[in-house]
C-alpha cells in the first residue's frame, strides 16, 4: 500500500511542482510585493505607499465606482434577461430549440477582439445605431465620447455576451424541476404566471445564486471590454474598471507594489460580495 502511495505521489510530483512554481509562488510573492515601494531604486517595505494610497487615490476611487456601477446595473439586468430566455428556450412549443440555444450561447465563443470591434463599429459616430436613431427622428448619441453613453455601451456589450451563457446554466436548472410539480399546480388551478413566481423561481434560486456569484467575480476583474471598446477606459477614465486600473499601474507605470495591492483588493471585494450573495440566498430559503 505504501508503495502504491509513493508511486501515486511520484506521478503527481511534476504537476505539483508546476502548480507551486506558477500558482502558489506568484500568489505569495505578489502579496509580499503589495507591501513594498517598488517605485524606488531599492524596493523597500512601505505599506503606506501601497495600501495607504488606496484610501486616498481618486483614480482608484473612480475605478471602484465604475466597477460597482456596472455590477449593480448590469448583473441584475443580465440575470433577469437570462432567466426569461431560459424559460422561453425550455418551452415545448418552441421549434428548433437546439438551434436557438446554440444561437444564444454563441456570443461566448466569439473572440474578445472581434466582438469589441463589432461594438465599436455599431456605436461609433457613423455606426448603424446612430443611423437608426436618426432614421426614426431621434438625435444621434456620441456613444464613445460621452461618459454616460460609453458606460451604457459597456453594459450592453456585457449583457449581449453573457446573457445567453447564464441562460443555458439556468436552463439546466429548469430541466431538473420535476414536471409533476407543474401538473399538480395546474390541476389546482394555478396560472402559469403564478407558477413561475411561486414554483419556478424558488426552485431555481440555487442556480440563479450560482450565476450571480460567477457574474460578480467576472465583473470585479472586468478588463477586456473597457480596454477594447472604449479605448482603455475612455473617455478620460469614465469607464475605467479595477481590472483596467490594475493593468495601468502594473504594466503602464510599472508600479508593481501598488498593482499587487489593487489585485488583492479586487479579490477581497469579489469574495465578500459573493459570500454576501450566498448568505442572502441561504437566508431566504
Amino acid at each position: 500500500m505504501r508503495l502504491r502511495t509513493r508511486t501515486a505521489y511520484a506521478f503527481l510530483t511534476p504537476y505539483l511542482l508546476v502548480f507551486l512554481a506558477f500558482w502558489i509562488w506568484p500568489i505569495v510573492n505578489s502579496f509580499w510585493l503589495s507591501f513594498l515601494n517598488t517605485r524606488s531604486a531599492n524596493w523597500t517595505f512601505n505599506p503606506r505607499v501601497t495600501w495607504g494610497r488606496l484610501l486616498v487615490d481618486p483614480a482608484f476611487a473612480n475605478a471602484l465606482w465604475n466597477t460597482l456601477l456596472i455590477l449593480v446595473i448590469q448583473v441584475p439586468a443580465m440575470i433577469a434577461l437570462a432567466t426569461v430566455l431560459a424559460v422561453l428556450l425550455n418551452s415545448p412549443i418552441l421549434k428548433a430549440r437546439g438551434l436557438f440555444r446554440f444561437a444564444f450561447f454563441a456570443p461566448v465563443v466569439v473572440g474578445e477582439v472581434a466582438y469589441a470591434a463589432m461594438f465599436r463599429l455599431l456605436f461609433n459616430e457613423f455606426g448603424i445605431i446612430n443611423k437608426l436613431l436618426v432614421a426614426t427622428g431621434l438625435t444621434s448619441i456620441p456613444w464613445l465620447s460621452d461618459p454616460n453613453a460609453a458606460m451604457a455601451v459597456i453594459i450592453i456589450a456585457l449583457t449581449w455576451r453573457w446573457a445567453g451563457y447564464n441562460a443555458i446554466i439556468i436552463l439546466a436548472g429548469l430541466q431538473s424541476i420535476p414536471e409533476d410539480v407543474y401538473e399538480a399546480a395546474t390541476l389546482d388551478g394555478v396560472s402559469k404566471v403564478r407558477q413561475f413566481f411561486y414554483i419556478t423561481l424558488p426552485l431555481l434560486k440555487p442556480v440563479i445564486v450560482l450565476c450571480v456569484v460567477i457574474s460578480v467575480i467576472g465583473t470585479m476583474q472586468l478588463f477586456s471590454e473597457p480596454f477594447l471598446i472604449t479605448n482603455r477606459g475612455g473617455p478620460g477614465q469614465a469607464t475605467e474598471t479595477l481590472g483596467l486600473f490594475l493593468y495601468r499601474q502594473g504594466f503602464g507605470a510599472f508600479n508593481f507594489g501598488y498593482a499587487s495591492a489593487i489585485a488583492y483588493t479586487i479579490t477581497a471585494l469579489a469574495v465578500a460580495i459573493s459570500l454576501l450573495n450566498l448568505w442572502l440566498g441561504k437566508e431566504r430559503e
Side-chain angles (χ1 to χ4, degrees):
M1 190 64 181
R2 291 180 179 177
L3 178 61
R4 293 179 60 185
T5 302
R6 287 197 297 267
T7 303
Y9 277 108
F11 279 105
L12 285 173
T13 297
Y15 169 78
L16 294 176
L17 291 175
V18 171
F19 182 76
L20 179 66
F22 294 98
W23 284 87
I24 302 300
W25 168 243
I27 290 173
V28 174
N29 187 54
S30 64
F31 183 71
W32 171 245
L33 275 178
S34 69
F35 293 94
L36 301 181
N37 179 12
T38 57
R39 299 302 296 273
S40 60
N42 297 316
W43 293 2
T44 56
F45 183 84
N46 192 347
R48 187 176 62 180
V49 301
T50 53
W51 292 101
R53 180 179 171 183
L54 289 175
L55 303 176
V56 297
D57 188 357
F60 171 78
N62 174 70
L64 177 61
W65 167 256
N66 291 336
T67 304
L68 294 178
L69 184 65
I70 295 172
L71 182 68
V72 170
I73 297 176
Q74 189 269 332
V75 172
M78 179 187 63
I79 297 300
L81 177 61
T83 304
V84 173
L85 285 176
V87 172
L88 295 176
L89 291 173
N90 195 46
S91 174
I93 64 174
L94 179 67
K95 305 299 182 183
R97 281 183 289 177
L99 177 62
F100 281 103
R101 291 170 185 175
F102 170 76
F104 282 106
F105 183 80
V108 178
V109 300
V110 176
E112 291 179 339
V113 175
Y115 118 88
M118 179 187 71
F119 270 87
R120 284 189 63 86
L121 290 173
L122 287 173
F123 287 93
N124 67 24
E125 184 180 356
F126 305 102
I128 190 172
I129 301 299
N130 274 338
K131 289 185 180 297
L132 290 174
L133 291 175
V134 173
T136 55
L138 300 175
T139 306
S140 63
I141 299 173
W143 293 102
L144 300 179
S145 57
D146 179 78
N148 295 326
M151 181 62 74
V153 172
I154 295 295
I155 291 173
I156 293 170
L158 288 170
T159 304
W160 176 84
R161 189 173 195 199
W162 295 106
Y165 172 83
N166 287 281
I168 296 301
I169 297 176
I170 296 172
L171 176 63
L174 273 175
Q175 293 178 341
S176 67
I177 300 176
E179 287 293 331
D180 298 345
V181 178
Y182 294 106
E183 292 175 1
T186 303
L187 291 175
D188 289 338
V190 181
S191 66
K192 295 294 183 182
V193 175
R194 290 178 63 85
Q195 287 181 27
F196 175 75
F197 284 103
Y198 292 99
I199 296 176
T200 303
L201 284 183
L203 293 177
L204 279 179
K205 186 178 293 182
V207 180
I208 292 176
V209 170
L210 171 64
C211 291
V212 170
V213 170
I214 294 174
S215 300
V216 166
I217 294 172
T219 302
M220 293 305 298
Q221 54 187 351
L222 182 63
F223 171 81
S224 300
E225 284 76 7
F227 185 86
L228 297 171
I229 297 176
T230 56
N231 193 19
R232 304 194 179 193
Q237 278 78 47
T239 58
E240 184 176 61
T241 58
L242 287 175
L244 186 53
F245 183 60
L246 185 156
Y247 170 83
R248 187 158 63 86
Q249 291 297 321
F251 299 99
F254 299 104
N255 191 357
F256 299 113
Y258 190 41
S260 298
I262 297 167
Y264 274 92
T265 302
I266 294 173
T267 302
L269 288 172
V271 170
I273 297 174
S274 299
L275 290 176
L276 177 62
N277 281 299
L278 291 172
W279 179 75
L280 290 175
K282 183 178 180 181
E283 285 294 308
R284 295 180 181 179
E285 287 181 354

